[in-house]
Amino acid sequence: MIFRFFYFCLIILFFISTFINKNNLFNNINSSVEYFNIRFNKDIQTLKKEIDFLYATKQSLPFTNYKIDENIVYFDINGSGVYFKNISSYPNQFDFYNLKEAKDNLNSKFNNSLLYIVYNNIKSFDNKKEIVYSNKFSKAWINKLKNVSLTSNSFKSKRSISRDNTEFSLYNLYTDQIYKKKMFTIIFPEYDYFNNSQRLRALWYFDFNGNFFAKNANLLKDTLHLNVSIIDSEHRVVYSTNKSEVNSISTLDNFYVFPLEKTNYKILVEKENILQLIKIKEVFLIVFILFLIFYINKKDKLKKELSSLKMINKIKSELLLREPLTSLYNRYFLQEEMVFPINNCGIVLLDIDHFKNINDTFGHDKGDHVLKAVSNCIKLVSIGSADAFRWGGEEFLIIFKDTDKENVLNKVNTLQKLIKDLNILDNYKITASFGVIFTDIKDKSSFYSAVSKADKNLYTAKKTGRDKVVAF
């Protein structure tokens, strides 16, 4: 007894120790994710500085060689597009940002993660006048901007954009309406004041692929030795250190979930498995527990041997209740084990047709083979819902309990077909006759009375041609 108590204490100690390790790991995860957000904010500030650099590289270009298509004025400068929408008067020149150069410069700093740049110079919210600069000129943009404002079509959420130019918002709600690219967008708003009211002057859209997160996510994985994923608000995977990760995550149960600051994205850290929580001291505990288990098992072996003797006696007792040829219950089971009353009981008595002819024609070995085959059919229809007996010779009894008439007849019809489908004697069809009644049985006396009624139905079935079911 003392060993079992000691064994139990060691197990508790093991779980306490692993719980402490888990708590320490979770604290480490929290601090590491905090550093992730700090590094991410530094990357964003670097991006903001690059935007400031764009202002220093702008050029004054003459406003010539443009085309007009309904409410859109557009032209192509070295593969970069400039589009004017709903503008009634035009300057002689305008400021054009060299977006291709800016894109190459940004990609050199952000792991080639920048895919697309769109810059909106918004003149007014009321009439939605705007100038759109894009690093990829496309006439498809012209057709899109005829009817749709890029700004109003970009935001599917009413969440406000920060009015502090040093801040940013990161959304997955912007969709490239022309190329249908599934990207996420970092938005830098710019504001100025006009007639004592604040006006949105411009928005910068930077569409990235998942590589933007690669450096910080891999650093987090190297620290924690756990896979890290970044997902958007719709649980789509933007980046994952687990290369086998699916495109979207249906449940977050297997992850620790943290917000990505100032965004609607989340940082997922996979939950650890038990092996990652086991240290040296836990290994010693496991070894000692295994040794103790071996000792206790050795001690219990004698007890098991004694109990096996009891099991053997129980098996012998079970054998007494079964008829040896078919393994169905015998009448001794009825005397010793049957419990009364039995309500909604179906009594089925069946007899193999012309069994004496089978023995005389094919021999008693074949006759025994037929008895086993029929008993196997009976087991198929009675398992779990009935008690089946070899009642004597080629006669069998089935007691269906807590059932209804329709179910009993269905079982009997199935059994009749199973027996007829037996193909174990050459050029001979095996059939059986059935007598069935449905009643409530109060005690052993009413049981034998019910069997007698079933036997009369069986006699009728045999007398009127055999291979029949006479019921109720």
Side-chain angles (χ1 to χ4, degrees):
M1 186 65 183
I2 186 65
F3 290 108
R4 291 186 180 277
F5 177 75
F6 186 51
Y7 163 65
F8 180 71
C9 291
L10 285 176
I11 292 177
I12 293 176
L13 182 61
F14 172 79
F15 282 107
I16 291 174
S17 182
T18 52
F19 175 78
I20 293 172
N21 292 341
K22 181 180 178 67
N23 191 54
N24 290 338
L25 177 61
F26 186 71
N27 291 335
N28 190 23
I29 290 173
N30 273 306
S31 60
S32 298
V33 169
E34 185 177 347
Y35 285 125
F36 180 101
N37 274 306
I38 291 172
R39 291 193 298 268
F40 176 73
N41 276 287
K42 286 182 179 179
D43 287 342
I44 294 298
Q45 293 306 314
T46 301
L47 182 60
K48 185 67 173 65
K49 289 177 183 179
E50 294 300 322
I51 292 176
D52 295 336
F53 171 76
L54 290 179
Y55 282 102
T57 61
K58 66 184 180 180
Q59 306 171 36
S60 293
L61 298 177
F63 186 63
T64 58
N65 299 323
Y66 61 87
K67 296 181 181 181
I68 299 176
D69 192 337
E70 296 183 9
N71 63 343
I72 299 296
V73 180
Y74 66 94
F75 59 94
D76 176 10
I77 302 176
N78 298 325
S80 293
V82 180
Y83 313 86
F84 297 80
K85 181 177 181 182
N86 296 327
I87 295 185
S88 57
S89 62
Y90 309 102
N92 293 325
Q93 61 185 23
F94 64 95
D95 293 332
F96 172 69
Y97 296 93
N98 192 335
L99 295 181
K100 282 191 173 182
E101 178 184 335
K103 179 180 176 182
D104 292 339
N105 187 50
L106 287 167
N107 270 330
S108 67
K109 293 179 170 61
F110 293 107
N111 198 26
N112 291 318
S113 59
L114 182 63
L115 300 177
Y116 204 62
I117 296 177
V118 177
Y119 169 58
N120 291 10
N121 188 355
I122 300 167
K123 306 270 294 191
S124 168
F125 275 139
D126 297 332
N127 54 22
K128 297 179 181 176
K129 294 178 179 178
E130 59 184 332
I131 302 175
V132 179
Y133 302 85
S134 169
N135 73 293
K136 185 173 182 180
F137 178 80
S138 171
K139 289 188 177 181
W141 275 108
I142 299 167
N143 294 327
K144 177 60 64 174
L145 292 174
K146 284 180 186 178
N147 304 311
V148 178
S149 168
L150 178 65
T151 303
S152 63
N153 193 50
S154 299
F155 296 98
K156 311 298 182 186
S157 168
K158 295 182 179 179
R159 292 176 59 181
S160 62
I161 301 173
S162 168
R163 296 175 182 270
D164 182 349
N165 288 343
T166 62
E167 296 295 320
F168 70 93
S169 300
L170 193 153
Y171 293 86
N172 62 302
L173 303 179
Y174 172 75
T175 304
D176 186 332
Q177 298 296 319
I178 302 301
Y179 302 103
K180 305 300 180 185
K181 293 180 180 178
K182 294 181 179 179
M183 308 174 191
F184 61 93
T185 304
I186 294 179
I187 302 169
F188 289 94
E190 300 174 26
Y191 292 86
D192 60 13
Y193 290 88
F194 181 75
N195 291 334
N196 295 322
S197 62
Q198 197 172 41
R199 183 176 65 180
L200 183 63
R201 186 175 69 218
L203 292 173
W204 289 87
Y205 299 83
F206 292 90
D207 290 333
F208 290 82
N209 60 30
N211 290 332
F212 182 68
F213 295 101
K215 178 183 67 176
N216 292 330
N218 287 324
L219 282 173
L220 187 57
K221 178 185 178 181
D222 292 341
T223 301
L224 301 174
H225 305 293
L226 297 169
N227 278 312
V228 176
S229 299
I230 308 297
I231 63 170
D232 63 19
S233 62
E234 297 177 3
H235 290 194
R236 291 176 299 198
V237 176
V238 177
Y239 180 79
S240 177
T241 58
N242 182 2
K243 301 306 178 184
S244 63
E245 189 62 80
V246 293
N247 293 328
S248 63
I249 294 176
S250 58
T251 176
L252 302 181
D253 294 342
N254 298 324
F255 302 92
Y256 296 111
V257 182
F258 302 90
L260 185 60
E261 290 183 0
K262 303 176 186 177
T263 78
N264 64 339
Y265 284 69
K266 291 181 175 64
I267 305 169
L268 305 185
V269 180
E270 72 173 352
K271 290 184 178 179
E272 71 289 340
N273 57 51
I274 187 65
L275 294 178
Q276 291 168 301
L277 299 176
I278 297 176
K279 309 300 180 183
I280 295 297
K281 60 181 180 299
E282 286 79 32
V283 172
F284 279 117
L285 273 174
I286 291 174
V287 171
F288 195 75
I289 289 171
L290 290 174
F291 174 78
L292 197 60
I293 290 173
F294 175 79
Y295 177 81
I296 293 173
N297 287 341
K298 195 74 173 178
K299 187 177 180 181
D300 289 343
K301 190 175 180 180
L302 288 174
K303 292 182 179 178
K304 289 181 179 180
E305 289 177 354
L306 289 174
S307 64
S308 67
L309 291 175
K310 296 179 180 178
M311 183 62 70
I312 291 171
N313 290 332
K314 185 176 180 180
I315 291 171
K316 288 180 178 179
S317 176
E318 178 70 15
L319 290 175
L320 289 174
L321 303 176
R322 299 216 178 246
E323 191 273 323
L325 179 65
T326 62
S327 296
L328 296 178
Y329 289 128
N330 54 28
R331 297 198 182 202
Y332 182 72
F333 176 90
L334 181 65
Q335 287 291 125
E336 301 296 326
E337 301 292 333
M338 186 70 77
V339 178
F340 299 101
I342 305 174
N343 295 321
N344 300 318
C345 176
I347 302 293
V348 179
L349 202 61
L350 66 116
D351 188 282
I352 300 173
D353 294 331
H354 304 295
F355 184 73
K356 184 176 185 303
N357 290 342
I358 294 174
N359 277 335
D360 293 341
T361 304
F362 298 96
H364 287 277
D365 287 342
K366 287 291 185 180
D368 289 346
H369 192 47
V370 170
L371 289 171
K372 289 180 182 179
V374 171
S375 67
N376 287 336
C377 295
I378 293 171
K379 290 172 187 176
L380 284 175
V381 299
S382 63
I383 186 169
S385 62
D387 292 329
F389 300 77
R390 185 178 178 190
W391 200 239
E394 68 275 19
E395 201 170 60
F396 299 88
L397 174 69
I398 310 173
I399 305 173
F400 291 96
K401 303 175 182 178
D402 296 321
T403 185
D404 54 50
K405 296 180 180 180
E406 183 179 359
N407 184 50
V408 171
L409 281 179
N410 287 338
K411 294 280 190 180
V412 170
N413 290 332
T414 300
L415 177 56
Q416 184 183 28
K417 186 177 184 306
L418 288 173
I419 293 173
K420 290 171 73 172
D421 288 343
L422 291 174
N423 187 20
I424 55 178
L425 297 177
D426 295 336
N427 301 318
Y428 191 91
K429 198 72 173 177
I430 301 170
T431 62
S433 300
F434 297 82
V436 182
I437 71 159
F438 189 86
T439 185
D440 292 332
I441 298 175
K442 296 180 180 180
D443 51 28
K444 192 175 295 185
S445 175
S446 61
F447 168 76
Y448 280 109
S449 176
V451 172
S452 177
K453 293 176 182 178
D455 188 53
K456 289 179 181 179
N457 287 344
L458 173 60
Y459 177 79
T460 302
K462 294 168 70 174
K463 187 177 180 181
T464 56
R466 303 180 186 272
D467 188 22
K468 289 186 177 182
V469 177
V470 176
F472 313 126

